[in-house]
Amino acid sequence: MDATAVALGDDTRTGSPDAGPSGEPSAAQPPPPPRHVPPAAPVAPAACARSVPSAGARPDPAPAERATPAAPAAPVGRATPAGWAGTAGDPGPYALPAPAAPAAGADPVVPAQAPRRGAGRPAGPGQRQPHPRPVITELRLSAFGRHRSAAFPLGPVTLFAGPSGSGKSQVLAAYEALAGLGSGATVETLFPDPRARIPDGAAPDAQRRRGFRLGCTVDGPAGPVRLELAVQAEPALRIVGERLSQDGRILFATALRDPGRRSVQASWLTGGAVGVTRAPLPDDRLGTALLPLRVAGSTAGQRQVLAAAEQVVVALRSVFACDPRPDRMRAPVPPGEGRLLGDCANLADVLRRTRHECGTRHALLAEAARTGCAGAVAGLDVHAPAGGAVTAVLDRGPGRPATELGRLGSGELRFLALALVLLTGPGVLDMDPAAELLSARQALTVLADGLDHGLDGRQAAELLRLALLSCGRGHVRLVAAVGEGTAAAARRLDGVSVVDLSV
């Protein structure tokens, strides 16, 4: 049977593989409809956010789709984890696991390993609360580093806690990798050391192949959409399988048919007389991100594929990974566009911009500085002589000399940078926002590995307050790794989900 037909749910054979690259057994039964975990209730109005309008038009369909539609294929049916093909007639080692149902309940402490498939009843359509903006509501690591069959529900503010080596950084690395793939980056760029992501003890198959799997659920106006990805790390780094599904129905799937070629066979729902369209796609990029360039949208099936793909791409591209580096933030910086870098090295230039463009946001940041910085703080100011470098200072009040940010402690600098990120919008961050929707219809997700690194309890508590303030209306979301002290304080806050990786 054709491998793509198998991936699309027409699986009548009995010789499908029983193990994935991590040595886990593959499920033999079809998965239930995915459950949706509603986000935490908002607790406060969001801070000032600058809207940056963007527009994009869908290009004409690719010539391959217009001129060479595939022959009629088996109808697209229920999703089945029956495997992505490695070669023609050989399903390979990258069988998809059955989707795991997310943990239910109102307890803000979420266990790291969610209940497996069939552990609870799926939520009915009347129980779901559709998200007005595309957001990632679940991250799945079926075989990624130390994580096996793990599903992490994500709310407006989600903190990962656990001892050193529990996999907090791996979770955020997986999220950042998915975001990079959604932005068009290649697997070589995102996984410079792919062997480090292979689960310990994973045995290669007969062709000496090993890899890892990850996926996510994106909720939004189109409803929950699931994305699953299988990456081969050895002997060559490549994407060997991808699956986009909704309500148990596969909309798009890829399969590696010929290991000698740097492409995968892709199939997507077309509807009408054709049923399914097939075309080769590169094996180093996310196929879902390429679909808007290949699908015409002339049939109901194509429009469903486009809506699901664009929702996933918008959510993945609306991510900003932030890791402030105090050693790079102390020196004056040349004036520029005022777009904050991931390491926050140009913090002074961004403060210059926010002071002039959004007084409300700048006032909120100055108020936070009074809590997070030692000594009296009357405000935040910048010195920007004509043609010279920009220096940010703390205004200490009348009769007191200002303090340059370069003289502050490392914790104070990290605090100011993270507070600015939480209070700002995509237009002030060094990121490429998705053009499919206006920025007002998008939700920015901030990734922060070690959110409280170098911070004292007062500073960490203030960052949590700012996170709840900014995330209350759904324009901003926070996914971060924290220490046990911050996690213990966060467990007492409504609206914060703490994922304990030590469970």
Side-chain angles (χ1 to χ4, degrees), residues 366-374 415 458-459 462:
E367 180 183 351
R370 297 185 185 99
T371 302
C373 297
F415 169 81
R458 177 191 56 180
Q459 293 168 330
E462 179 65 9

Side-chain angles (χ1 to χ4, degrees), residues 164-195:
S164 178
S166 61
K168 301 186 297 293
S169 296
Q170 288 181 344
V171 173
L172 269 69
Y175 198 128
E176 188 174 358
L178 284 172
L181 289 171
S183 298
T186 64
V187 288
E188 290 84 0
T189 303
L190 299 170
F191 298 107
D193 184 14
R195 296 183 180 181

Side-chain angles (χ1 to χ4, degrees), residues 249-349:
R249 187 184 197 187
I250 294 180
L251 305 178
F252 168 74
T254 67
L256 179 64
R257 300 285 299 279
D258 185 356
R261 296 183 179 181
R262 294 312 305 258
S263 64
V264 291
Q265 181 71 16
S267 301
W268 59 85
L269 177 67
T270 303
V274 175
V276 175
T277 300
R278 297 189 180 96
L281 290 179
D283 66 351
D284 62 344
R285 299 179 187 272
L286 187 69
T288 299
L290 302 176
L291 283 179
L293 304 176
R294 305 295 298 267
V295 180
S298 57
T299 67
Q302 289 178 342
R303 288 190 290 271
Q304 184 181 2
V305 172
L306 279 176
E310 290 181 351
Q311 178 169 288
V312 170
V313 170
V314 168
L316 292 179
R317 293 183 64 180
S318 304
V319 172
F320 182 72
C322 180
D323 182 18
R325 298 287 301 273
D327 56 317
R328 303 179 183 178
M329 300 162 58
R330 300 185 182 280
V333 297
E337 297 180 352
R339 291 167 61 89
L340 189 67
L341 302 174
D343 61 0
C344 303
N346 62 336
L347 176 65
D349 186 46

Side-chain angles (χ1 to χ4, degrees), residues 58-440:
R58 185 177 302 124
D60 290 337
E65 183 180 337
R66 296 197 304 263
T68 58
V76 176
R78 59 175 174 79
T80 171
W84 292 320
T87 59
D90 175 18
Y94 300 97
L96 281 176
D107 190 346
V109 181
V110 182
Q113 305 295 330
R116 295 184 181 272
R117 181 172 59 87
R121 292 183 300 173
Q127 299 174 277
R128 295 174 180 169
Q129 299 179 6
H131 288 262
R133 302 173 185 84
V135 293
I136 297 178
T137 56
E138 184 181 67
L139 179 68
R140 293 182 296 279
L141 303 180
S142 299
F144 189 90
R146 72 177 305 278
H147 299 288
R148 306 287 186 91
S149 300
F152 307 113
L154 303 177
V157 180
T158 305
L159 306 180
F160 288 87
S164 178
S166 61
K168 301 186 297 293
S169 296
Q170 288 181 344
V171 173
L172 269 69
Y175 198 128
E176 188 174 358
L178 284 172
L181 289 171
S183 298
T186 64
V187 288
E188 290 84 0
T189 303
L190 299 170
F191 298 107
D193 184 14
R195 296 183 180 181
R197 305 303 182 189
I198 300 175
D200 291 338
D205 66 354
Q207 287 77 37
R208 306 186 63 81
R209 296 176 296 180
R210 296 197 303 166
F212 47 87
R213 298 192 301 267
L214 62 163
C216 64
T217 297
V218 178
D219 207 346
V225 179
R226 294 173 61 93
L227 173 67
E228 309 288 347
L229 201 64
V231 179
Q232 174 185 291
E234 296 175 346
L237 180 63
R238 63 201 310 178
I239 297 176
V240 296
E242 182 178 345
R243 187 172 68 188
L244 190 71
S245 62
Q246 186 174 27
D247 295 329
R249 187 184 197 187
I250 294 180
L251 305 178
F252 168 74
T254 67
L256 179 64
R257 300 285 299 279
D258 185 356
R261 296 183 179 181
R262 294 312 305 258
S263 64
V264 291
Q265 181 71 16
S267 301
W268 59 85
L269 177 67
T270 303
V274 175
V276 175
T277 300
R278 297 189 180 96
L281 290 179
D283 66 351
D284 62 344
R285 299 179 187 272
L286 187 69
T288 299
L290 302 176
L291 283 179
L293 304 176
R294 305 295 298 267
V295 180
S298 57
T299 67
Q302 289 178 342
R303 288 190 290 271
Q304 184 181 2
V305 172
L306 279 176
E310 290 181 351
Q311 178 169 288
V312 170
V313 170
V314 168
L316 292 179
R317 293 183 64 180
S318 304
V319 172
F320 182 72
C322 180
D323 182 18
R325 298 287 301 273
D327 56 317
R328 303 179 183 178
M329 300 162 58
R330 300 185 182 280
V333 297
E337 297 180 352
R339 291 167 61 89
L340 189 67
L341 302 174
D343 61 0
C344 303
N346 62 336
L347 176 65
D349 186 46
V350 179
L351 292 176
R352 173 190 60 81
R353 177 182 175 184
T354 59
R355 187 186 63 169
H356 289 93
E357 295 187 2
C358 187
T360 302
R361 177 168 50 216
H362 195 81
L364 288 170
L365 182 61
E367 180 183 351
R370 297 185 185 99
T371 302
C373 297
V377 177
L380 284 169
D381 202 355
V382 292
H383 296 161
V390 181
T391 303
V393 298
L394 288 182
D395 183 0
R396 296 297 188 178
R400 297 182 180 181
T403 303
E404 295 184 2
L405 260 60
R407 301 179 64 87
L408 298 181
S410 296
E412 292 175 304
L413 287 174
R414 280 184 54 85
F415 169 81
L416 285 175
L418 290 167
L420 176 61
V421 172
L422 291 173
L423 291 173
T424 190
V428 189
L429 303 176
D430 186 30
M431 57 182 296
D432 183 19
E436 290 80 2
L437 290 176
L438 295 176
S439 58

